[in-house]
Amino acid sequence: MADAGTIRTFEDFLKVHGLLLAAAGIPQSLYRKLFEKLSTETFDGGNYFQVEPVEDGRQRRLVLTTSNSMGKESNIFLVDHALSFRLADAPKQLQEIPGLVERMASLMCVDIDLNSDDEDADKEDIKLTVVEIVERELEKVKKEGPGAVVWLELEDLNIDDDVFVSLDLPTKFPDLIALSLCNNKIKFTETITKEIVKFKHLRALWLNNNPIMQNFDDHVADAIIHNFPRLEILNSSFTRKYTGWALGFCGGIYDKDNPGCGHDDDNHSLQGLTSLDLSNRRIHSLHMGFSADAMPSLSYLNLRGNPLNDHSVSDLHEHLKAFTSLHSIEVDIPGPLGDSAIKIAESLPNLSFLNGVNTSKVLESGKSVIDSMLLPRLPEWDSGEPLIDRVLNAMWLYLMSYRLSDEEKIDETSIWYVMDELGSALRHSDEPNFRVSPFLYMPDGKLESAVSFTILWPIKNVEDGDECTRDYLFGIGEKKQRSARLTAWFHTPQKYFIKEYETFWQNLRSISSSPVNKASRTGSLARSDRCPLGVYTDIPQVEEILTHPGFIITSEPKEADIIWTSMQVDEEMKKAVGLNDGQCMNQFPFEACLVMKHHLADTVQKAYGSPEWFQPTYNLETQLTQFIGDYYVRENKGDDNLWILKPWNMARTIDTTVTGNLSAIIRLMETGPKICQKYIESPALFKGKKFDLRYIVLVRSMNPLELFITDIFWVRLANNTYTLDKKSLFEYETHFTVMNYRGKLNHMNTPEFVKEFEQEHQVEWLEIHSRIKQMIRMVFESATLVHPEMHSPMSRAMYGVDVMLDGSFKPKLLEVTYCPDCTRACKYDMEAITGGGEIIKAKDFYNYVFGCLFLDETTHVSAL
C-alpha cells in the first residue's frame, strides 16, 4: 500500500481505503459514517443491540433493541476483535495474556458449568431425597387409593441397585404405568427385570443415563420387553407394542399430570392432535395406531431418526398421503422415505414444507437433499477439561480470518480472529438481515499503522426485538459445497454423508491395475563430437558443483542443450526466452499429477484405489461430502479421527494443520484449497521423536518407465518428543520434520540413524528399504497408467519423494516434490546404505545425477 500520509479528511480516507471499501462490499452511502466512527473510535453498538443467552446458556444471540426500526443500509457499526492470532500462536496467546482465556471461555459459553456451581449448591440444599419423594407419593395413595399415583419420576437421585430394590416400588405403587429412573446409578439388568416384572400395567420405562446403559443392546431390551406385555416406551424408544398412548405422550396429550391411565380410547384422544414429534424413537413400523382416521387434524410430523424398515418407500408415501391435513413433515434424506427431496415432495402433494423448506422451493431448486431445520453445534467439554482446551476446541464456531498483502506479495499464513461479544453473538441465517466484513483502517496511510475491525451493517429493514443474523458462508453457493460446509456449525444429516462416503470407497476398492513392465535403457544424450552438453540453470548448487566433464554451464538459455530450472516452464516462457523443442528440460509435461497434492491423490486413487501405502485422502474442494461421511463413520465407531490438512501446492508445511476437530477442518478451507489426509497417529519413532525420509528419484523416461533412486537418502527429525496431547497439535517442532526454514535443524548421518534405528526396534533396514523402493515405483507407475500424456522424449527430471513409516514399519507416501531442495546432499559427505557402503562426496551429487539422467551412467544410483 502506498504511503498516503496521515488521514485527516474524508477525502484522505477514500484515497487510502477506496479499494478496501469496495472489496468489503460496504455501501457507498455509509462511507462517511464509517469514517467518522473509525476516526473517533466510536463503538456504539451497545446502544442498539442486546446480547441474549439461548440453548440453555450454551450459545448467545444478538437482538435489535432500539425503539424504532433500523432501515436497510441506514447505519454502520464497528466491531472490535477480542483475539487475533496466527494459528500456531493460539495456545501461547491464551496462556500468556492475562484474563484472555477467561474472556474467551465466557464469550464462547464454555464456562457455564463453572459459573453454576453456587446455583447448583443452592438447589442441592432444597432437593428431596428419594425416600422423601417415595413417602410423599405413598401418602397420596393412602389418601386417594391405589390409582392416585400411576406416574413416578425418580430422576437424578443417586439410586443404585440396592437402593432401588429396597424401595419396593411394585408393592407401594401397583398401578404404575410410567416410571422414570433417569440419571441414577443402576448397573445390572437383573435388578431391573426382577423388580419391574412385578408391575402389571407399566407402559413406559426410562433408564437413560444409568451405568446399565453402557451395555444396553437389543438383546437386553428384548429381554425386558418380553416380560412386559404392555410396555410401549423403553428408554425413549418405542417398542413394537406402541399404541395411541405412546403417540399421545409424544404429542403432549399424556404426561405426569394427565397420564391417560392406559384406557382403550387413546385413539379417540388423538382426534384433535395437530403436531407430533416422533424423532429418534427407533420406530420400525407405522401400524394401525398411526392412522389418518385416528389423527385427522395432524398438520406437522417429525419422523427423523426412525428406521421404519417394516415398510417400503412407496408404502410409506401412500400411508402418509392419507393424512390430508399434513402440511409439514421432517424426515431423514436419504432415509426411509427415499433419497430425493423432490420425489418426496411430488409424492405428498398436500405438503407445504419439507424439512422446513417450502416445497415449491424444493421443486424449483432441484436439490435431492434439503434441510433448514439444522441443530447448531454447541461446544462440548469434559467437566475437568482446562479452560484453554475448551476454548481451542470451541473457537472454530466463532473464528473469522483475513490475509495481509501489499503490492509485492500476499502473506503466506492467515490471521484468524474472534469478534467481540457483540459480533460473536450474530448467529447464522441463509436469509440474514446484517452483513459483516473485516476491514483494515490505516490512520497513518500505511499498512504498518493498520488496525483491524469488523464492520457491521443492516442489509434489510430490521424491527425492534428482531434477532440480528449474518450468513456464515456469504458468497458461497452449492458449487462450492455450501450445504456440506454448514456442517462446521450445524448437525447435518449423517446418513446422507455416510452414504456418499460408502459409495466413494466402494468405487476405490473396485480399482485394480497391473504392474507396468520395466523399461529397456534409454539412450545417452552425449554428443557424437564428444563436446560437453551445455546446461543452463538458475539453481546455484548446480552451477557451483556440476563439474562432470560431460557438461558445461552456459549463461545463455537459447544455447543450452539442457534447461535445469526451479521454475515451471510453459509455452509462454519458452517463447519469451527463445527455447526450442530440441532442448531437454528437467520437467515432464503434466507432472502436476504427481507434485501437486490433490492431483497426486487423484492419480494414485485412479490407478490403485486405496493402496496400503497411501493414507485416505480427500480433495476438500470437491470431496468434502465424502470426507464428512468418513469422519462420521470413524466417530460412530470410536476410531481415531486425527487428520492433516495440506495446501495443494505449498512447500515447507506452510498452512499445514493437524486436527481432529470437524469444524476446524471445514473452516480451514477458507484459507485456500487443501487436501485432508488421515494422520498417521502411530508412526514409527526414533528415540521418541517423529521422523520422515527424503528419497531422490531420477526419471529418465515415463514411457517406457525408467526410474532410479540415488544411493543416498536422508532422515528429517522433529525436535520435540512425539505426543498427541491437544496443545501439541499446534507445535510445529513436535509434528513436523522440515526444519530447514524454521526451528532448529538437527542433521543426522544416515548410516548412524539406520544403525541406531535397527537396534532400537530390532528390525532389518534393508527389508524396510526394499518396501520403500517398491512403493516409489508404484507411485510413478500410477502416473504412467493415469496420465500417459506425461511422457516426453525431451524430459529428464529429479523428484523428491517423502516417506514415513507407520508403527509396523510399513512405508507411507507423504508427497512428491519437483526440483527438491538437495542442500544436505550437497553439503554432507554420506556413506551409502547399499552398494558396499561407499562414501559419496557431497561435491559429486549433481555429477552423478546428471550422469544418470543424460549420459546413461549408473554411478551411485540404483534402478527401480
Side-chain angles (χ1 to χ4, degrees):
M1 179 67 65
D3 184 351
T6 302
I7 293 175
R8 295 185 175 87
T9 66
F10 178 58
E11 288 68 28
D12 293 339
F13 173 71
L14 291 181
K15 184 177 181 181
V16 173
H17 298 89
L19 291 176
L20 295 175
L21 289 164
I26 298 170
Q28 292 187 15
S29 59
L30 293 175
Y31 283 3
R32 185 174 292 277
K33 186 170 289 188
L34 174 61
F35 166 63
E36 293 169 356
K37 292 190 177 184
L38 284 169
S39 58
T40 57
E41 294 190 4
T42 300
F43 295 91
D44 58 345
N47 299 331
Y48 297 84
F49 306 101
Q50 180 174 319
V51 176
E52 296 180 350
V54 290
E55 301 290 347
D56 295 324
R58 297 175 67 191
Q59 198 179 57
R60 294 192 176 100
R61 69 172 188 162
L62 191 68
V63 176
L64 186 69
T65 55
T66 62
S67 56
N68 300 314
S69 63
M70 184 178 292
K72 174 183 177 181
E73 299 179 0
S74 63
N75 208 336
I76 196 163
F77 303 93
L78 303 185
V79 177
D80 201 6
H81 294 174
L83 172 65
S84 297
F85 58 91
R86 298 189 191 274
L87 196 54
D89 299 329
K92 184 178 180 181
Q93 285 200 30
L94 291 169
Q95 287 173 328
E96 295 181 358
I97 299 177
L100 180 60
V101 70
E102 289 80 9
R103 181 184 179 186
M104 290 298 101
S106 175
L107 182 151
M108 298 175 188
C109 305
V110 295
D111 62 349
I112 57 175
D113 58 327
L114 304 178
N115 296 333
S116 61
D117 285 347
D118 294 338
E119 296 175 16
D120 290 343
D122 293 339
K123 291 178 182 178
E124 288 294 327
D125 291 340
I126 60 173
K127 189 175 182 179
L128 297 177
T129 67
V130 62
V131 174
E132 290 171 333
I133 293 173
V134 170
E135 287 299 321
R136 181 191 65 194
E137 297 300 297
L138 191 57
E139 284 299 314
K140 293 182 183 177
V141 172
K142 291 177 179 178
K143 291 180 179 179
E144 304 173 25
V149 177
V150 297
W151 193 299
L152 188 60
E153 297 177 355
L154 301 175
E155 301 175 352
D156 198 17
L157 293 168
N158 293 318
I159 301 171
D160 60 18
D161 294 75
D162 292 338
V163 171
F164 179 65
V165 172
S166 69
L167 292 175
D168 192 19
L169 298 178
T171 302
K172 297 172 181 174
F173 310 106
D175 292 333
L176 218 58
I177 65 169
L179 174 61
S180 177
L181 296 166
C182 296
N183 302 308
N184 283 298
K185 298 181 178 180
I186 298 170
K187 294 181 179 179
F188 302 112
T189 306
E190 295 79 5
T191 305
I192 290 295
T193 53
K194 184 178 179 181
E195 286 298 301
I196 300 297
V197 73
K198 300 174 185 177
F199 290 109
K200 303 303 180 184
H201 309 291
L202 200 65
R203 286 195 163 193
L205 173 65
W206 293 279
L207 299 168
N208 308 60
N209 299 322
N210 276 273
I212 190 177
M213 297 303 297
Q214 294 176 4
N215 299 308
F216 201 95
D217 55 18
D218 289 342
H219 177 75
V220 175
D222 289 342
I224 293 176
I225 294 169
H226 178 74
N227 290 297
F228 300 96
R230 302 189 68 183
L231 195 66
E232 300 185 32
I233 299 175
L234 177 61
N235 299 333
S236 303
S237 298
F238 278 20
T239 73
R240 288 184 177 272
K241 303 171 183 176
Y242 80 88
T243 68
W245 182 86
L247 296 173
F249 168 76
C250 291
I253 295 174
Y254 301 133
D255 56 21
K256 184 177 181 179
D257 296 327
N258 180 32
C261 295
H263 297 311
D264 294 331
D265 62 349
D266 293 325
N267 285 350
H268 180 74
S269 301
L270 303 177
Q271 291 287 308
L273 189 65
T274 59
S275 176
L276 183 58
D277 184 353
L278 297 178
S279 58
N280 301 307
R281 294 289 177 180
R282 297 188 68 188
I283 300 171
H284 296 273
S285 172
L286 299 180
H287 52 55
M288 294 298 293
F290 186 94
S291 68
D293 291 336
M295 297 177 286
S297 304
L298 189 66
S299 62
Y300 168 82
L301 176 64
N302 189 339
L303 288 173
R304 294 177 187 268
N306 293 293
L308 299 176
N309 49 358
D310 287 356
H311 306 280
S312 66
V313 171
S314 59
D315 286 345
L316 284 172
H317 287 183
E318 287 301 316
H319 194 87
L320 293 172
K321 192 183 295 185
F323 289 81
T324 54
S325 297
L326 186 61
H327 297 306
S328 177
I329 189 170
E330 293 187 41
V331 294
D332 296 325
I333 307 175
L337 270 69
D339 299 342
S340 170
I342 296 172
K343 290 182 179 178
I344 295 172
E346 290 175 342
S347 298
L348 303 175
N350 290 329
L351 280 186
S352 299
F353 294 92
L354 175 57
N355 289 355
V357 179
N358 192 293
T359 49
S360 61
K361 289 187 176 180
V362 173
L363 298 172
E364 289 171 8
S365 70
K367 290 168 59 177
S368 294
V369 179
I370 53 95
D371 208 325
S372 70
M373 308 297 287
L374 299 176
L375 295 176
R377 288 187 182 276
L378 300 174
E380 296 179 355
W381 63 88
D382 297 327
S383 58
E385 190 172 0
L387 275 185
I388 186 171
D389 288 351
R390 300 184 188 191
V391 170
L392 290 173
N393 186 55
M395 67 183 185
W396 296 102
L397 302 174
Y398 295 89
L399 288 179
M400 297 178 70
S401 68
Y402 61 85
R403 185 170 288 186
L404 297 172
S405 66
D406 57 25
E407 294 172 347
E408 296 181 0
K409 67 174 184 177
I410 188 169
D411 202 349
E412 291 179 333
T413 56
S414 296
I415 303 292
W416 292 91
Y417 67 93
V418 179
M419 291 187 287
D420 64 18
E421 285 76 2
L422 185 148
S424 291
L426 285 160
R427 298 199 297 176
H428 170 77
S429 173
D430 287 336
E431 298 178 354
N433 48 23
F434 279 82
R435 183 176 166 187
V436 300
S437 181
F439 187 81
L440 289 180
Y441 176 54
M442 293 172 280
D444 291 342
K446 295 180 289 187
L447 187 60
E448 292 77 13
S449 69
V451 182
S452 63
F453 299 94
T454 290
I455 308 303
L456 169 70
W457 70 96
I459 57 175
K460 291 180 179 179
N461 295 331
V462 189
E463 301 297 326
D464 181 34
D466 285 353
E467 179 175 359
C468 306
T469 58
R470 67 181 179 93
D471 185 349
Y472 288 173
L473 292 171
F474 178 78
I476 296 176
E478 285 306 320
K479 288 184 178 180
K480 294 185 178 180
Q481 308 176 101
R482 178 182 176 88
S483 293
R485 290 174 75 159
L486 282 172
T487 304
W489 297 277
F490 297 94
H491 291 283
T492 49
Q494 285 198 16
K495 287 184 179 180
Y496 168 73
F497 292 104
I498 290 173
K499 182 177 180 181
E500 292 294 309
Y501 154 74
E502 289 173 343
T503 301
F504 173 73
W505 278 100
Q506 283 169 6
N507 292 337
L508 285 186
R509 294 186 185 104
S510 67
I511 296 172
S512 62
S513 298
S514 302
V516 176
N517 292 329
K518 291 193 175 182
S520 57
R521 291 182 113 178
T522 304
S524 169
L525 296 184
R527 291 173 179 269
S528 59
D529 59 6
R530 298 188 179 181
C531 290
L533 295 167
V535 177
Y536 172 79
T537 183
D538 59 1
I539 300 173
Q541 291 167 338
V542 177
E543 194 169 5
E544 291 168 10
I545 68 173
L546 179 60
T547 58
H548 192 297
F551 306 92
I552 186 170
I553 299 295
T554 176
S555 59
E556 180 51 60
K558 290 186 288 187
E559 297 176 359
D561 299 292
I562 299 167
I563 305 295
W564 191 275
T565 175
S566 60
M567 300 172 61
Q568 288 291 319
V569 179
D570 54 21
E571 291 302 318
E572 185 176 336
M573 181 178 176
K574 281 185 178 181
K575 187 176 180 180
V577 178
L579 304 182
N580 61 73
D581 293 339
Q583 293 173 300
C584 199
M585 301 281 177
N586 70 323
Q587 53 195 250
F588 281 86
F590 302 99
E591 66 183 5
C593 71
L594 290 174
V595 300
M596 292 186 72
K597 298 177 186 69
H598 62 307
H599 289 321
L600 173 63
D602 181 67
T603 300
V604 170
Q605 290 168 351
K606 283 180 177 177
Y608 300 116
S610 180
E612 185 180 18
W613 45 264
F614 196 68
Q615 290 289 94
T617 304
Y618 299 90
N619 178 359
L620 292 181
E621 293 299 302
T622 57
Q623 297 171 328
L624 178 62
T625 295
Q626 291 79 4
F627 161 72
I628 293 172
D630 191 344
Y631 187 96
Y632 280 148
V633 168
R634 293 174 188 273
E635 183 177 60
N636 293 340
K637 289 182 179 178
D639 291 347
D640 176 84
N641 232 340
L642 205 57
W643 298 80
I644 182 167
L645 286 90
K646 305 175 184 179
W648 281 359
N649 196 29
M650 294 186 79
R652 313 199 310 269
T653 63
I654 294 169
D655 200 20
T656 300
T657 309
V658 178
T659 181
N661 185 316
L662 180 58
S663 296
I665 292 169
I666 299 171
R667 297 296 311 283
L668 284 162
M669 293 173 64
E670 297 168 24
T671 63
K674 292 178 180 64
I675 64 164
C676 185
Q677 191 169 65
K678 185 67 190 68
Y679 192 60
I680 305 169
E681 70 278 358
S682 300
L685 302 177
F686 179 70
K687 297 182 178 179
K689 296 178 181 178
K690 190 175 175 182
F691 70 91
D692 66 21
L693 307 164
R694 164 61 64 87
Y695 281 81
I696 300 299
V697 179
L698 308 177
V699 184
R700 282 185 186 169
S701 169
M702 291 299 293
N703 185 21
L705 183 61
E706 191 174 3
L707 302 175
F708 297 83
I709 61 168
T710 62
D711 288 344
I712 62 167
F713 63 90
W714 54 93
V715 61
R716 305 184 296 190
L717 293 162
N719 289 335
N720 297 341
T721 299
Y722 183 71
T723 174
L724 289 177
D725 177 77
K726 282 185 180 180
K727 286 192 288 294
S728 82
L729 300 181
F730 292 86
E731 296 171 359
Y732 182 87
E733 295 186 47
T734 298
H735 290 273
F736 299 101
T737 60
V738 181
M739 301 298 165
N740 306 53
Y741 311 98
R742 53 174 162 163
K744 180 182 177 183
L745 174 62
N746 292 313
H747 173 70
M748 186 174 191
N749 288 325
T750 304
E752 181 184 353
F753 163 78
V754 169
K755 181 180 178 181
E756 293 186 23
F757 187 84
E758 287 181 325
Q759 292 174 346
E760 180 180 355
H761 295 288
Q762 295 299 298
V763 293
E764 291 288 336
W765 185 263
L766 290 181
E767 293 180 6
I768 296 172
H769 188 66
S770 176
R771 289 195 289 266
I772 292 173
K773 290 196 298 181
Q774 182 182 12
M775 181 199 74
I776 290 175
R777 179 166 179 88
M778 290 184 71
V779 172
F780 285 86
E781 283 181 353
S782 69
T784 66
L785 291 166
V786 179
H787 293 282
E789 67 274 17
M790 185 175 169
H791 175 67
S792 167
M794 299 310 295
S795 295
R796 311 284 172 94
M798 175 176 71
Y799 299 94
V801 177
D802 296 336
V803 181
M804 188 172 287
L805 302 179
D806 66 15
S808 300
F809 312 109
K810 294 179 180 178
K812 300 284 187 178
L813 176 67
L814 299 183
E815 65 178 313
V816 178
T817 306
Y818 161 74
C819 200
D821 183 348
C822 293
T823 300
R824 295 201 205 191
C826 300
K827 184 176 181 180
Y828 301 103
D829 295 344
M830 297 189 195
E831 179 185 338
I833 301 303
T834 58
E838 184 179 353
I839 298 296
I840 302 175
K841 298 292 185 179
K843 63 183 180 63
D844 290 330
F845 176 72
Y846 277 110
N847 288 338
Y848 62 78
V849 167
F850 274 67
C852 173
L853 287 175
F854 303 108
L855 299 180
D856 202 21
E857 297 176 353
T858 56
T859 305
H860 302 320
V861 299
S862 301
L864 289 179

